Amino acid sequence: MKDLTSGNIYKNFFVFALPMVLAGVLSQMYHTIDTIIAGKLIGDSALAAIGATSPFVSFTNSFFWGYSCGVGIYVANLFGAKKYFRVKNVAINNLWFISFVIILVSILSIAFKDALYSFLQIDSKVLKEADIYFTICTLGNVFVLMQNTFLHIMNALGDGSYPLKMSVLCAVINVAGNIFTVSVLEMGVAGLAVATVFSAFVVSVFYFIKLRKCFRQLRCSNHKVMLSSRVIKETFHFSLPTMVQQSIMYFSSMILSPIVNSIGSDATSSYTVILRVYDINASIYQNAAKSIGSHTAQCYGAKKYKRLKKGFFVGVLQNILFTLPVLLVCVCFPQQICGIFFGADASKTAVEYSVAFLKYFMPFLILNVLANAYHNFFRAMDRMKALLIATLAGSVARIIFSVIFERFLGYYGIFIGWAMFWLADAAFGFAFYYFGKWRKELRV
């Protein structure tokens, strides 16, 4: 655990962010390896199958990610104020609450999956495999999503090293499971899903054990926690706006998903590859930006307002330096990067789509690096109105530009809409940060 409100801010940020960045990359790597195994060992149809429902999965998961992020902010505030008994109350109550809601949503998702497939316009060629993958992953979703809650709680307590260890463990189990289920047992996409769920289960158990150890270190392990609706209501003050913000962001992807799927399986398989490459890059700056969120939340709870502005500057600088190396590799070597995912007999059209995105549109990702820094700052400062407006502006821009340009440029129009989302989101975040009321209110 680490108090980020004192000491050398450059050192604190780097030491705190580095293991989280590595953990985020490793976490995305095993999803990426799923995709590589699907493309290399199974084929294009498997790529399309695991990506066909991903916009819906990301949309529903965004609610839980947003809620868990709010839990982390609340815990960070309490930790900064040294209210350790309340830290335990908030953590335990929300772990139970989130588990219950995840199970409920998973049951409903499976019950109405046929209507979902119809809405997403999944190609009939990949529908069977898509159904198998979606069903298995949804059944084990409680373990997959609970990792986010544990992760945000550990980050709130200033611990970035343990999530790294868990990401390594999860990646090793997942990769070994993928190879065994696909190559040895020949389970196809079902094997990929089983390996993902099993690795998430193991990691969730280890996170729970670690959290109990943290409570002992805070000398509140003997404090009995009663399940309380009041604690959940208090958490909603932090979590609800983040849930709404995240759902708005991913809603645009789900709305555009039927358009992508209707273009054909080439577009769907390409979109799967593009998302994996994007996710690896995004995991770097999104996890690096958590140092901004945790530092800001702890300083806000401890009333050390003078450190806020410098913390944001250091965080942005760090985010850019962490992101640029991988981003430049993707932009400069798009053919080689895409070749990692596609087999020798892959569709040339699908490969061309993917290469074009990396070469011409990935450079705009630097705008999202800045936007994500603003997101973490506003979220930690409880300035959710600014965050919601910036995200809404970006999402609306993405939908409008995608629909318009798709008519003239086909699949490439979807890429233009994505770039416009990053631009609008960053522009509004910039305006709210430099001209927002928070500066006068805190006299920064």
Side-chain angles (χ1 to χ4, degrees):
M1 295 179 288
K2 176 67 175 177
D3 182 358
L4 300 174
T5 64
S6 59
N8 186 295
I9 194 169
Y10 290 94
K11 179 182 178 181
N12 284 348
F13 270 48
F14 181 78
V15 172
F16 182 67
L18 181 59
M20 288 196 298
V21 170
L22 294 175
V25 172
L26 283 171
S27 178
Q28 288 302 325
M29 280 305 297
Y30 77 75
H31 290 301
T32 303
I33 291 171
D34 281 357
T35 308
I36 294 173
I37 292 176
K40 293 289 189 180
L41 301 183
I42 306 176
D44 282 3
S45 62
L47 277 177
I50 64 177
T53 58
S54 60
F56 170 77
V57 173
S58 297
F59 174 64
T60 55
N61 290 359
S62 68
F63 285 91
F64 299 107
W65 190 95
Y67 188 89
S68 298
C69 186
V71 173
I73 293 170
Y74 192 15
V75 170
N77 272 269
L78 296 174
F79 181 72
K82 303 187 186 304
K83 298 178 180 179
Y84 301 138
F85 289 129
R86 292 188 65 189
V87 165
K88 184 177 181 181
N89 272 337
V90 171
I92 298 300
N93 268 275
N94 280 286
L95 285 170
W96 279 108
F97 175 72
I98 293 174
S99 298
F100 171 78
V101 177
I102 292 173
I103 293 172
L104 179 62
V105 171
S106 298
I107 293 172
L108 292 174
S109 297
I110 293 176
F112 295 98
K113 63 181 181 179
D114 290 336
L116 170 65
Y117 300 156
S118 177
F119 168 75
L120 294 175
Q121 297 186 31
I122 298 176
D123 195 321
S124 58
K125 298 178 182 178
V126 299
L127 181 58
K128 183 178 179 180
E129 289 182 306
D131 176 55
I132 293 172
Y133 187 81
F134 175 76
T135 302
I136 295 174
C137 287
T138 302
L139 288 172
N141 224 12
V142 65
F143 303 117
V144 175
L145 294 178
M146 285 304 293
Q147 291 183 86
N148 290 328
T149 308
F150 284 117
L151 174 64
H152 282 112
I153 292 174
M154 296 307 300
N155 291 162
L157 299 177
D159 190 340
S161 61
Y162 194 77
L164 172 59
K165 297 175 184 177
M166 290 300 98
S167 292
V168 172
L169 177 63
C170 195
V172 170
I173 295 174
N174 192 277
V175 172
N178 284 336
I179 295 174
F180 179 72
T181 55
V182 174
S183 298
V184 179
L185 300 182
E186 298 182 351
M187 294 175 62
V189 294
L192 300 177
V194 169
T196 297
V197 171
F198 179 72
S199 61
F201 167 74
V202 174
V203 169
S204 295
V205 172
F206 276 93
Y207 263 126
F208 181 76
I209 294 172
K210 176 62 176 180
L211 190 58
R212 294 189 64 179
K213 183 179 179 180
C214 290
F215 292 149
R216 286 197 297 271
Q217 293 176 344
L218 295 174
R219 297 180 180 179
C220 60
S221 59
N222 294 327
H223 173 65
K224 293 184 178 180
V225 175
M226 300 295 292
L227 298 182
S228 170
S229 59
R230 179 182 59 80
V231 173
I232 303 302
K233 290 179 181 179
E234 291 173 356
T235 307
F236 259 75
H237 174 74
F238 297 89
S239 294
L240 186 59
T242 310
M243 289 170 62
V244 174
Q245 181 260 334
Q246 287 293 307
S247 64
I248 289 173
M249 184 185 303
Y250 286 96
F251 181 73
S252 60
S253 295
M254 190 177 72
I255 287 295
L256 295 173
S257 183
I259 299 177
V260 174
N261 289 334
S262 66
I263 296 173
S265 59
D266 287 342
T268 305
S269 58
S270 169
Y271 199 64
T272 303
V273 171
I274 289 169
L275 283 176
R276 289 294 180 260
V277 177
Y278 163 78
D279 286 342
I280 291 175
N281 283 270
S283 69
I284 297 174
Y285 60 81
Q286 287 174 357
N287 283 281
K290 288 179 182 177
S291 57
I292 297 175
S294 295
H295 172 267
T296 303
Q298 287 190 14
C299 288
Y300 192 58
K303 301 185 186 303
K304 296 184 178 181
Y305 303 137
K306 292 184 179 180
R307 293 176 63 89
L308 294 175
K309 186 177 178 181
K310 185 176 182 180
F312 180 79
F313 170 78
V314 174
V316 171
L317 179 63
Q318 179 177 259
N319 288 2
I320 294 174
L321 293 177
F322 270 127
T323 305
L324 274 180
V326 177
L327 179 59
L328 288 175
V329 170
C330 293
V331 173
C332 296
F333 305 100
Q335 193 77 40
Q336 291 81 353
I337 296 296
C338 293
I340 296 173
F341 296 90
F342 290 102
D345 57 345
S347 165
K348 291 183 179 180
T349 302
V351 175
E352 289 174 358
Y353 284 152
S354 305
V355 170
F357 180 83
L358 268 62
K359 187 175 182 179
Y360 300 112
F361 294 92
M362 279 291 285
F364 291 97
L365 191 66
I366 200 69
L367 295 170
N368 199 229
V369 175
L370 298 176
N372 196 259
Y374 294 128
H375 287 186
N376 278 269
F377 182 83
F378 292 136
R379 192 179 294 121
M381 288 286 292
D382 197 22
R383 297 301 195 271
M384 294 305 299
K385 182 178 179 180
L387 181 57
L388 289 173
I389 292 175
T391 304
L392 181 61
S395 298
V396 171
R398 181 182 184 184
I399 293 173
I400 291 176
F401 280 95
S402 294
V403 171
I404 292 175
F405 282 96
E406 191 273 336
R407 294 182 178 179
F408 302 101
L409 301 175
Y411 186 43
Y412 296 106
I414 303 296
F415 300 162
I416 294 176
W418 210 348
M420 294 307 298
F421 170 47
W422 296 333
L423 174 61
D425 193 3
F428 275 84
F430 174 88
F432 284 121
Y433 178 81
Y434 284 98
F435 306 106
K437 295 181 180 179
W438 70 272
R439 288 172 171 267
K440 293 181 180 179
E441 292 175 358
L442 300 183
R443 298 180 182 179
V444 176

